[in-house]
Amino acid sequence: MRNLLLQLLILQGKPHPIAAQAPESNMNETVTEWSPALVTEAQQNIREKDLDSCLSVFLSCLQRMNSVLTVDATVIDYMSSLLVFDCAETVARVRCISDAQNVIDIIDLLTNNESFTTRCGPEAARKAAHLASAIFARVPLLQRSLFLNKPDGYLEGNLFPLETVFISKILDHNYVLPVLGIYHDQDQFGYGIVFERIENAAEWLRRSRPNFITRMRVMFEIARIIRYIHSMGIALYAGSIELGCFFLDSNFRVKIKFMGLFTWCVREATICGRTDSVLWPPRTPCTCESNISDFAMLFHRVCFGGHNENFHSRLGEPALQLIERCRDSQSRPTMEDVIKEMETWNLT
């Protein structure tokens, strides 16, 4: 049913210009200048600090933009006020699809906007992404900036990749590679991805033959990425936790080429019997638990795969024990637990 609704919404949709720049890492964006007068005016307009008032003022502000959405101090202040409230309660009060679409589109512009994260903090960006997820769970709206060209024919196939791109655009680009959108070219579809100045982790490992500590540091970065993704209520696709899906810069900061789904979507697909080969290859479901098991296998290959001449005895044993626990369905830790243990190893 959700797939049919998504197809209907896309077919009925009309193109609307949205003022947006190509997604970039927070470290590379240009900071928008702030006007204290605008912030004060926005605060004065919200006379009552209740959800209905905040939402009404915010939606009216977006409607006045006439579908050309821009990020300024007023919008950021309104969004910050709205994020104080529970996402589910907020979504329940959004009465029409056009308002929901505007909220989705402005979140698309805000979550990796440096002015927003500087003003409101990274937690606000996380809450905004959760709000987008809650809207998508109720009605499967996509960002109007998602399609880089007309998606003719794509609707006949699997719609899960659309959700993957939707998620990529609202996640923190300090963890995932920025995605411009999805394009259609000669009966094939692909993602427009910003690769920045980074190297594929598999190629890096073959080229540099790093020592044991460096390999452990990279695995710690990968663990941080998976923890963040799980904290957003998202699981990675089965088989996507492979070294070739990760990219790192010269400081060993790692990002992932994201492929995954909301965990509620996986549960919904299971209930509806939609267990196709994209989501569920043999014995490898798309769940947080399977992600942790896949992480353990990658951890073992990278650090104990037989091509490491500089094995570190102090760290080797606790690392192997952690890998075994991640593989064991009875004692499997969460990624939060994995991070806490790895932090005690002093990998710097």
Side-chain angles (χ1 to χ4, degrees):
M1 179 61 71
R2 285 182 56 81
N3 281 0
L4 292 175
L5 181 56
L6 180 55
Q7 290 184 15
L8 179 62
L9 290 171
I10 296 175
L11 289 172
Q12 289 180 336
K14 297 180 180 179
H16 296 275
I18 297 178
Q21 296 179 342
E24 297 180 6
S25 168
N26 286 349
M27 296 179 288
N28 298 323
E29 290 179 344
T30 302
V31 179
T32 303
E33 291 187 4
W34 280 84
S35 169
L38 287 175
V39 176
T40 302
E41 180 183 353
Q43 292 172 339
Q44 290 175 346
N45 286 336
I46 304 176
R47 301 183 185 279
E48 299 178 27
K49 293 300 181 181
D50 63 272
L51 175 54
D52 289 330
S53 297
C54 288
L55 184 60
S56 176
V57 172
F58 182 54
L59 294 179
S60 296
C61 173
L62 298 183
Q63 291 166 2
R64 288 195 299 271
M65 292 183 180
N66 296 320
S67 299
V68 183
L69 302 183
T70 57
V71 174
D72 58 22
T74 304
V75 167
I76 291 176
D77 194 62
Y78 286 155
M79 176 59 80
S80 177
S81 298
L82 189 63
L83 293 176
V84 172
F85 302 98
D86 179 74
C87 287
E89 293 183 7
T90 301
V91 172
R93 286 169 167 78
V94 178
R95 305 301 184 187
C96 65
I97 288 179
S98 61
D99 284 338
Q101 182 70 69
N102 282 338
V103 175
I104 287 288
D105 289 332
I106 203 65
I107 290 174
D108 181 33
L109 298 180
L110 283 173
T111 49
N112 286 283
N113 179 280
E114 187 173 2
S115 296
F116 177 67
T117 55
T118 300
R119 170 76 174 182
C120 304
E123 184 60 26
R126 291 169 63 94
K127 289 181 178 179
H130 280 301
L131 178 58
S133 169
I135 293 173
F136 189 85
R138 187 178 184 190
V139 55
L141 293 169
L142 303 169
Q143 302 98 329
R144 284 179 288 196
S145 63
L146 187 149
F147 295 105
L148 301 179
N149 59 8
K150 190 176 180 181
D152 290 337
Y154 189 79
L155 300 178
E156 299 175 1
N158 190 347
L159 295 177
F160 286 123
L162 294 178
E163 183 174 331
T164 285
V165 180
F166 172 90
I167 296 171
S168 296
K169 288 173 68 64
I170 62 173
L171 288 181
D172 188 339
H173 293 164
N174 287 309
Y175 296 96
V176 304
L177 289 175
V179 174
L180 296 173
I182 194 167
Y183 63 87
H184 180 208
D185 182 24
Q186 297 180 349
D187 297 327
Q188 293 184 345
F189 293 86
Y191 306 151
I193 297 177
V194 180
F195 281 97
E196 305 170 332
R197 295 182 179 180
I198 50 180
E199 182 179 10
N200 181 274
E203 296 174 359
W204 163 79
L205 188 63
R206 287 192 295 268
R207 175 185 59 79
S208 63
R209 299 180 65 86
N211 62 35
F212 186 77
I213 294 294
T214 302
R215 293 169 188 247
M216 293 279 279
R217 287 175 58 193
V218 169
M219 289 309 304
F220 178 70
E221 287 292 311
I222 291 174
R224 289 179 64 250
I225 292 171
I226 300 172
R227 177 184 65 173
Y228 165 72
I229 289 172
H230 286 183
S231 75
M232 300 303 294
I234 297 164
L236 292 162
Y237 271 147
S240 67
I241 303 181
E242 297 287 347
L243 207 56
C245 294
F246 294 93
F247 297 79
L248 70 163
D249 62 19
S250 58
N251 295 318
F252 303 114
R253 297 291 295 181
V254 182
K255 296 185 181 183
I256 188 173
K257 180 182 177 183
F258 175 80
M259 293 178 288
L261 297 171
F262 293 117
T263 52
W264 58 259
C265 182
V266 176
R267 291 192 297 269
E268 181 182 271
T270 303
I271 294 171
C272 297
R274 184 74 193 279
T275 53
D276 56 31
S277 59
V278 175
L279 284 175
W280 286 270
R283 299 181 300 280
T284 315
C286 180
T287 64
C288 293
E289 292 76 16
S290 67
N291 288 172
I292 297 170
S293 178
D294 289 345
F295 168 77
M297 290 187 288
L298 179 62
F299 196 169
H300 192 275
R301 286 198 302 272
V302 170
C303 294
F304 303 96
H307 301 286
N308 188 6
E309 299 85 357
N310 300 302
F311 179 80
H312 199 290
S313 58
R314 177 180 66 84
L315 296 175
E317 188 59 33
L320 287 171
Q321 291 175 0
L322 178 60
I323 289 170
E324 287 305 311
R325 292 202 304 276
C326 290
R327 287 172 167 172
D328 186 355
S329 60
Q330 301 301 316
S331 61
R332 182 175 294 138
T334 65
M335 288 308 300
E336 180 65 31
D337 297 329
V338 170
I339 289 293
K340 288 180 179 178
E341 180 162 346
M342 294 183 76
E343 285 175 339
T344 67
W345 296 348
N346 190 22
L347 299 175
T348 57

